[in-house]
Amino acid sequence: MLRIAVPNKGSLSEPASAMLHEAGYRQRKDRRELVLVDAENEVEFFFLRPRDIAVYVGSGKLDIGITGRDLLLDSGSPAEEILQLGFAGSTFRYATRPGTAKDVSEFGGMTIATSFSGLVRQHLADNGVDASVVHLDGAVETAIQLGVAEIIADVVETGTTLRNAGLEIIGEPILESEAVVILPQSRLRSTGGTPIPGAPDDPKVSQFLRRMQGVLVARRYVMMDYDIRVEHVEKAVGLTPGLESPTVSPLHHEGWVAVRSMVPSKDAQRIMDELYELGARAILTTGIHACRL
């Protein structure tokens, strides 16, 4: 069976399980359930702490994992990001009291508090900065107030929490993170693969990746159908080119055709307006629940 690690809590947990469910896999009904066997799909799911998933996958004990890019890089585990999943986005940044420093180049000799010590040490090394790093589990913004550190590095969403603590964001982002699918580096290297979907030669892994890609596409697109006069088809399909090419079928009424095409859901209303101005009628959109490209 394919062994897959899934986050058991936090911001990654519910979106990951929802996506796996959309991809046709069984998911747990009881949050206390730590292992779930999906015999029909020949998959065994392990519900683990998000921070531990990269370690298990990197060791080769599990075949696939879903975790955050920040957690993967912080772990230093020999695992590789292979597919971005588009949820749990976050930005990792430095913050300090106003006037302390303006950029990472000024951190030399200072102490930085963070929950992502591996990630910060690597970032400092990449920038040639000699600074101390203190590992804390959560609420790192109080480290400056208590004199534990001069600077903190943490996930930033709106920055409100930092401003309330009298801190300001400094420098460029350390990392832009989101949920990702990871594989052991050994799996990619043993096949001469590269970290892109479809690289592994294991058919079960490739099938899993295709299913997840199918969910991503189904979420981003809708199917659009409309009727239009033949003389306006070229302009219409210019608005709805589809992924390969739209389907155009003759209607019983001479001079009219029916067009079907996938369009980005975020643009659907605008495209419908423009099609209507061209003379299209019976313009419909329907959701896509699953697909394979």
Side-chain angles (χ1 to χ4, degrees):
M1 282 194 170
L2 199 64
R3 295 156 65 88
I4 301 176
V6 183
N8 67 345
K9 60 182 179 180
S11 61
L12 292 166
S13 178
E14 289 190 14
S17 289
M19 193 168 188
L20 288 166
H21 178 72
E22 288 179 50
Y25 296 104
R26 284 186 59 207
Q27 288 297 284
R28 62 180 182 173
K29 297 180 180 179
D30 187 343
R31 294 180 64 86
R32 294 171 297 181
E33 197 171 4
L34 300 179
V35 180
L36 173 68
V37 175
D38 183 350
E40 184 176 346
N41 289 298
E42 299 184 18
V43 173
E44 191 172 11
F45 291 104
F46 294 83
F47 295 88
L48 306 170
R49 289 179 66 242
R51 188 172 283 276
D52 295 337
I53 287 175
V55 177
Y56 282 106
V57 173
S59 71
K61 302 300 181 184
L62 297 178
D63 302 302
I64 298 173
I66 295 176
T67 189
R69 180 182 297 123
D70 51 356
L71 297 172
L72 167 63
L73 296 177
D74 188 58
S75 73
S77 296
E80 198 81 52
E81 173 184 332
I82 197 168
L83 181 63
Q84 300 172 10
L85 297 180
F87 63 85
S90 63
T91 304
F92 197 64
R93 307 196 67 162
Y94 293 112
T96 187
R97 284 177 174 157
T100 303
K102 295 182 179 179
D103 187 74
V104 65
S105 61
E106 301 178 12
F107 292 178
M110 296 185 183
T111 301
I112 304 165
T114 182
S115 300
F116 295 80
S117 51
L119 186 59
V120 171
R121 287 192 179 98
Q122 185 61 54
H123 187 258
L124 293 172
D126 291 344
N127 285 274
V129 176
D130 183 14
S132 300
V133 178
V134 175
H135 181 88
L136 298 175
D137 288 322
V140 296
E141 61 271 8
T142 60
I144 295 178
Q145 181 182 357
L146 295 175
V148 173
E150 292 91 359
I151 299 164
I152 65 168
D154 201 8
V155 172
V156 176
E157 294 182 359
T158 63
T160 301
T161 302
L162 295 176
R163 287 192 293 271
N164 290 341
L167 306 178
E168 66 176 7
I169 297 169
I170 55 174
E172 295 297 317
I174 303 168
L175 177 72
E176 298 284 349
S177 184
E178 66 177 295
V180 296
V181 174
I182 64 173
L183 298 181
Q185 288 179 356
S186 58
R187 181 185 293 274
L188 291 171
R189 289 171 180 167
S190 66
T191 61
T194 54
I196 57 173
D201 63 352
D202 186 329
K204 292 182 181 179
V205 173
S206 296
Q207 182 188 70
F208 175 82
L209 293 172
R210 284 196 301 270
R211 286 194 183 194
M212 298 300 277
Q213 285 179 302
V215 172
L216 290 171
V217 173
R219 288 179 171 184
R220 290 198 297 262
Y221 287 84
V222 294
M223 189 65 72
M224 184 169 289
D225 294 89
Y226 57 92
D227 300 340
I228 193 163
R229 295 281 308 175
V230 171
E231 58 266 29
H232 300 313
V233 168
E234 289 305 314
K235 288 185 178 179
V237 299
L239 295 172
T240 60
L243 298 186
E244 309 261 346
S245 178
T247 299
V248 180
S249 307
L251 292 178
H252 180 69
H253 264 308
E254 188 175 349
W256 284 81
V257 295
V259 180
R260 163 167 278 205
S261 182
M262 289 172 64
V263 301
S265 54
K266 64 182 180 63
D267 299 327
Q269 292 294 336
R270 175 186 57 79
I271 292 172
M272 292 174 78
D273 290 337
E274 293 185 27
L275 287 172
Y276 191 88
E277 292 298 319
L278 275 177
R281 294 296 182 265
I283 310 169
L284 309 173
T285 62
T286 52
I288 301 171
H289 298 291
C291 70
R292 296 289 184 277
L293 300 182

